[in-house]
Amino acid sequence: MPVIELQDVSKLYGFGDATTVALDEVSLRIDKGEFVAVMGPSGSGKSSLMNILGLLDRPTHGAYELDGRSVARLRANQRAKMRRNQIGFVFQSFNLLPKLNVLDNVALPLTYRGMTQTRRLKKAAAMLERVGLSDREYFMPKQLSGGQAQRVAIARALISDPSIIIADEPTGNLDSSSSRLVMELLADVHKTGNTILLVTHNPELTRYASRVVFMHDGTIIGDERSKLGDVPKLAKSLYFLPRKTIEDDLAGVSVLMQEVEKEGPKKSKKAKNSTKQKTRKYQSRTKKKGTK
Amino acid sequence: MLGNDIKLAVKSIRSAKWRSFLTMLGIVIGVASVVITISLGQGVRQQLIGQIDHLGSDLITVRPGRLVNRDIAGNITSVNLPAFLGMSSLSENDFRVIKEAPGVGIAVPFAAVNGIPHNDSVEMPDALIVATNENAPAILEQKVEFGAFFSQEETTKEVAIIGQRVAEKLFNENVPIGKSISIRDRTFVVRGVFEGFQSSPLTPNTDYNSAIFVPYEAGKRVSGGNVQIYQVLAKATEKKKTKTTIQAINDGLLNAHAGQADFTILKPNENLIITNTVFNLLTGLIGGIAAISLIVAGIGIMNIMFVSVTERTKEIGLRKAVGGTNRQILGQFLIEAVILSLVGGLFGVMVSFIANILIRISTSLQPVITLPVILISIGVALVVGVIFGMAPAIKAARRDPIEALRHD
Ligand SMILES: Nc1ncnc2c1ncn2[C@@H]1O[C@H](COP(=O)(O)OP(=O)(O)OP(=O)(O)O)[C@@H](O)[C@H]1O
Ligand SMILES: [Mg+2]
């Protein structure tokens, strides 16, 4: 049974000569309990897609059914309520409110459901325990490491028991060990039955996903289901894709692709040594920049 | 939700203490000036009512000039304020007409005598010298506490009965009987000291605690043979005849003035109407200033709230992403603005209480701060908060969540 069903969804920004087609008639069906990794070069429309799926944005054209209900044309108020009950967001930049402590940050979504403070804080404390940060309840966000901040953000995303978690590059600002922790956490959440949508530039992370969707220029050019723990073939073969622009290079996308190409065959054996691998990637990236 | 919004607002206000304080200042000043003005007005009115109670409701006051306009039924329709500042006076003939009008029991002239009283080197320039007749204590219902008033026969005698402040100021003692006061080239011997008069400042009634009462003819002599009768007080022989007596005085004076009503006959409670008019003018003036300061304060709040909304754009985006509706976001920012102005209003009330005490200590005014005044002024602060907080709150509520989240 699909939780998400997109039919010919387009998203256009601007108008006239300045129109950007961020999504070009995308159709996508996601079943309950899937863990979908979305990949693709910068500007390919991943975030645009997530924003529409997360009801933060409306498609310019096309139909979107969430839980069998058509939501493309809902009013702002109703979309806010659906976000509140069904969707949890995890952002690349954490987006914790700097003036609230960790516990209050986690409890934030519940304030909009009219829950009493005692119940809110109790639930938030339970969530913090789940992400392993019980001892940080009264810390302020700026006192946390990036990995801790992201785990707090995940606790916040989980607190209203949403069926869908949308994580747009949640590990983009984290080092590899923190990334691993965050991903393990998401995998954990996935096991409890949540549908997870993950945007990532790191093919390695697709191991946690049950399906990889690859985007390019606003369209889906690849869609592959895989066993948990494997890097899907598609992710490995990314380097076949046309290398777009210098910007892509700068964003490191093509470098990552090359990494996959080089290390792809050996990876299954070396997977556990991911820190080392990351360092090497970093070195090759800087080398590449240096030669330019 | 509301409690949570309030907590949040307090947190956000406290996190920028100076900014919040400066923003509130306008409201503080505005509310304080509103409360002080109204309480002054009420205080003066209460003092006047006390005085009227004291003088009795059958006292008839005759003044020169047309101070008020009346409708056919005789009710005051408007007050001619410039007439209060006019220099006209009643003549001795007018006094005679009043005294001899049918129904009049006693009539007492009050004439201002020029000159600055002094005792050796001590002068009292703000003293009022009143030339009057022997019935003054009776009509003012005021006892002479020490000594005695002059009699009818003593109208040319150079004696003085003084108010308490005069005793203190000129002689620095309570009972300076037998001592002398010099007025121009004449010397008046103090004969008595009045009990304290109830004063009612800012009204057409004088504060007689600062007055020196002298016999009519003696006073006239000091002024070189001419005095200005600024009022005549009269009472009917019987209280219930007051109305017909007023009519008789009116007829007599009209006759004496060749039909022109260039004088005014007031019943005691009509003093209140005049005071009200004077006060409404003052209140209007200060009220206008207060209103402007409240508007300026409101604009200040609006400005700060706009800044706050911009600074917290990312927060707005996040709150929307986790399910805050436009209305909930609006509520959050509106409540912050309202709390800002409400707290300002409370401070304003506090300031006005302090001002009240200072005014009571340093002047004879007795402002009265009543609960309704406090409630109204806090209500005004609330309304200012809502009105000027609305635009920034709407701006916050209408932010697009994605753009807001991207903001930094
Ligand atoms: N608010 C906007 N106004 C105009 N154009 C936009 C806007 N948001 C996105 N775009 C354009 O839409 C296209 C898709 O952007 P999107 O952010 O979805 O890419 P992405 O795949 O998430 O990229 P990245 O990997 O860099 O995050 C890009 O060409 C971008 O310039
Ligand atoms: Mg993106």
Side-chain angles (χ1 to χ4, degrees):
Chain A
M1 186 207 146
V3 258
I4 286 170
E5 188 148 25
L6 291 185
Q7 192 67 51
D8 295 333
V9 162
S10 299
K11 179 69 194 179
L12 283 78
Y13 291 107
F15 44 85
D17 288 345
T19 308
T20 313
V21 183
L23 291 178
D24 191 5
E25 304 200 330
V26 171
S27 297
L28 180 66
R29 210 181 118 136
I30 296 171
D31 286 328
K32 188 164 163 28
E34 281 193 279
F35 189 143
V36 182
V38 179
M39 298 192 70
S42 183
S44 57
K46 305 180 295 294
S47 296
S48 303
L49 179 66
M50 291 303 130
N51 290 340
I52 287 172
L53 293 179
L55 296 173
L56 285 172
D57 205 357
R58 287 178 223 240
T60 315
H61 305 289
Y64 174 17
E65 279 184 16
L66 180 64
D67 274 337
R69 186 177 168 197
S70 176
V71 291
R73 302 270 151 233
L74 282 184
R75 293 221 317 275
N77 195 26
Q78 293 163 302
R79 286 190 296 148
K81 282 181 185 153
M82 291 195 78
R83 284 199 295 272
R84 179 190 300 171
N85 296 321
Q86 272 159 284
I87 297 161
F89 289 96
V90 181
F91 305 93
Q92 178 174 359
S93 53
F94 322 135
N95 282 341
L96 300 177
L97 297 188
K99 281 176 191 161
L100 300 185
N101 66 28
V102 164
L103 198 59
D104 286 336
N105 261 295
V106 173
L108 182 69
L110 298 181
T111 61
Y112 294 112
R113 306 176 124 199
M115 201 180 272
T116 63
Q117 173 154 341
T118 10
R119 283 191 60 206
R120 284 201 310 257
L121 294 185
K122 218 171 132 192
K123 213 164 169 210
M127 275 304 153
L128 274 177
E129 187 163 1
R130 182 167 171 194
V131 302
L133 287 172
S134 285
D135 53 342
R136 294 287 187 277
E137 282 184 5
Y138 298 102
F139 277 50
M140 297 309 280
K142 60 167 177 266
Q143 297 171 306
L144 299 176
S145 73
Q148 289 169 337
Q150 196 61 296
R151 276 145 70 200
V152 171
I154 291 174
R156 178 182 63 194
L158 291 175
I159 198 156
S160 37
D161 301 319
S163 54
I164 302 168
I165 302 284
I166 294 181
D168 193 344
E169 299 188 49
T171 61
N173 286 356
L174 302 180
D175 63 26
S176 57
S177 62
S178 299
S179 294
R180 247 237 325 265
L181 263 174
V182 163
M183 288 310 298
E184 296 289 349
L185 199 53
L186 286 176
D188 225 44
V189 174
H190 177 228
K191 276 187 206 127
T192 61
N194 291 71
T195 309
I196 296 184
L197 306 175
L198 166 81
V199 173
T200 182
H201 284 297
N202 186 351
E204 186 59 26
L205 300 184
T206 57
R207 243 174 232 296
Y208 296 94
S210 61
R211 177 179 172 192
V212 179
V213 166
F214 200 89
M215 296 192 68
H216 188 76
D217 271 351
T219 55
I220 293 176
I221 57 165
D223 188 344
E224 181 187 346
R225 274 160 224 275
S226 67
K227 245 173 52 201
L228 288 179
D230 283 352
V231 174
K233 282 202 270 326
L234 189 64
K236 290 182 196 167
S237 58
L238 291 183
Y239 63 95
F240 288 122
L241 286 161
R243 210 164 290 153
K244 261 180 78 192
T245 56
I246 293 169
E247 279 78 20
D248 282 359
D249 257 14
L250 288 178
V253 176
S254 47
V255 180
L256 282 178
M257 290 175 187
Q258 285 171 342
E259 288 301 317
V260 178
E261 171 192 14
K262 267 184 268 168
E263 299 186 11
K266 293 173 260 171
K267 193 170 292 152
S268 45
K269 286 163 209 162
K270 275 193 167 184
K272 287 189 179 94
N273 203 356
S274 66
T275 318
K276 212 172 173 186
Q277 209 173 319
K278 191 88 183 182
T279 327
R280 224 184 300 154
K281 266 182 206 167
Y282 177 74
Q283 281 166 346
S284 76
R285 202 182 305 171
T286 40
K287 211 185 285 167
K288 176 138 190 166
K289 262 186 197 160
T291 55
K292 271 191 74 178
Chain B
M1 196 66 219
L2 185 70
N4 197 57
D5 275 349
I6 290 173
K7 242 180 262 166
L8 240 150
V10 170
K11 197 175 236 166
S12 135
I13 288 168
R14 281 173 60 177
S15 71
K17 283 196 189 69
W18 265 107
R19 190 162 98 179
S20 307
F21 171 72
L22 291 176
T23 310
M24 280 176 199
L25 212 52
I27 297 278
V28 174
I29 293 169
V31 165
S33 47
V34 169
V35 174
I36 291 169
T37 321
I38 297 177
S39 64
L40 271 178
Q42 280 187 334
V44 168
R45 224 160 279 153
Q46 280 191 8
Q47 280 172 280
L48 190 66
I49 289 169
Q51 205 179 40
I52 289 167
D53 282 351
H54 177 74
L55 291 177
S57 58
D58 54 343
L59 185 75
I60 302 162
T61 306
V62 185
R63 297 229 169 126
R66 189 184 298 169
L67 304 183
V68 296
N69 300 315
R70 295 176 189 274
D71 61 15
I72 301 168
N75 300 315
I76 292 178
T77 54
S78 66
V79 176
N80 304 325
L81 286 178
F84 280 97
L85 307 172
M87 298 304 286
S88 59
S89 60
L90 294 166
S91 67
E92 283 182 16
N93 188 49
D94 292 336
F95 172 63
R96 216 167 300 126
V97 169
I98 295 165
K99 195 179 167 186
E100 280 155 21
V104 171
I106 50 172
V108 183
F110 285 76
V113 176
N114 296 324
I116 296 171
H118 60 99
N119 163 36
D120 292 334
S121 60
V122 188
E123 286 191 338
M124 187 171 173
D126 61 333
L128 176 75
I129 308 165
V130 181
T132 183
N133 70 13
E134 71 285 354
N135 289 320
I139 204 128
L140 292 174
E141 308 233 355
Q142 195 72 14
K143 281 203 198 85
V144 177
E145 193 171 19
F146 305 105
F149 210 71
F150 52 82
S151 66
Q152 192 175 0
E153 292 72 39
E154 293 174 311
T155 182
T156 58
K157 216 163 177 183
E158 290 178 339
V159 293
I161 290 81
I162 60 179
Q164 284 177 347
R165 255 193 86 227
V166 179
E168 281 161 28
K169 272 225 155 169
L170 281 184
F171 302 103
N172 201 18
E173 61 175 285
N174 290 333
V175 194
I177 289 177
K179 305 212 166 153
S180 46
I181 298 172
S182 305
I183 302 167
R184 292 200 171 167
D185 55 344
R186 299 283 169 175
T187 303
F188 289 76
V189 177
V190 176
R191 170 74 73 81
V193 181
F194 270 114
E195 257 184 354
F197 286 90
Q198 277 193 13
S199 63
S200 55
L202 299 186
T203 68
N205 300 1
T206 330
D207 178 9
Y208 287 126
N209 289 316
S210 298
I212 298 170
F213 294 85
V214 299
Y216 188 80
E217 292 301 332
K220 190 171 160 187
R221 197 159 55 225
V222 173
S223 297
N226 94 70
V227 288
Q228 291 166 339
I229 303 179
Y230 66 89
Q231 74 176 5
V232 174
L233 298 183
K235 271 188 185 176
T237 45
E238 282 174 77
K239 196 168 179 171
K240 59 176 184 232
K241 284 188 187 159
T242 303
K243 214 169 169 190
T244 54
T245 307
I246 287 176
Q247 192 55 48
I249 294 173
N250 192 45
D251 292 345
L253 285 177
L254 265 184
N255 195 23
H257 289 217
Q260 195 169 46
D262 54 352
F263 56 88
T264 306
I265 304 173
L266 297 171
K267 284 168 271 173
N269 54 358
E270 289 180 337
N271 263 330
L272 204 58
I273 296 174
I274 294 171
T275 308
N276 269 346
T277 311
V278 175
F279 237 86
N280 288 345
L281 193 81
L282 266 174
T283 311
L285 219 75
I286 303 179
I289 296 170
I292 290 170
S293 101
L294 283 173
I295 289 173
V296 172
I299 293 170
I301 288 180
M302 185 154 80
N303 183 36
I304 284 299
M305 288 312 296
F306 270 127
V307 170
S308 177
V309 167
T310 306
E311 280 175 355
R312 287 150 72 187
T313 304
K314 197 152 191 166
E315 173 183 337
I316 294 167
L318 179 82
R319 287 179 178 277
K320 287 194 156 190
V322 300
T325 61
N326 289 2
R327 186 176 296 190
Q328 285 167 326
I329 304 289
L330 182 122
Q332 181 196 335
F333 282 91
L334 194 57
I335 280 172
E336 193 171 320
V338 166
I339 287 186
L340 211 52
S341 69
L342 266 187
V343 172
L346 287 175
F347 275 123
V349 170
M350 265 160 62
V351 166
S352 63
F353 269 101
I354 295 168
N356 182 357
I357 293 169
L358 293 180
I359 289 172
R360 276 168 183 262
I361 290 173
S362 58
T363 71
S364 62
L365 296 168
Q366 303 197 333
V368 180
I369 298 178
T370 59
L371 189 63
V373 174
I374 294 172
L375 294 182
I376 286 170
S377 52
I378 288 176
V380 167
L382 190 133
V383 169
V384 167
V386 171
I387 289 177
F388 290 92
M390 196 50 99
I394 288 176
K395 185 186 172 190
R398 290 210 180 137
R399 287 306 305 241
D400 176 66
I402 300 166
E403 270 173 36
L405 274 170
R406 227 180 259 154
H407 195 272
D408 43 22

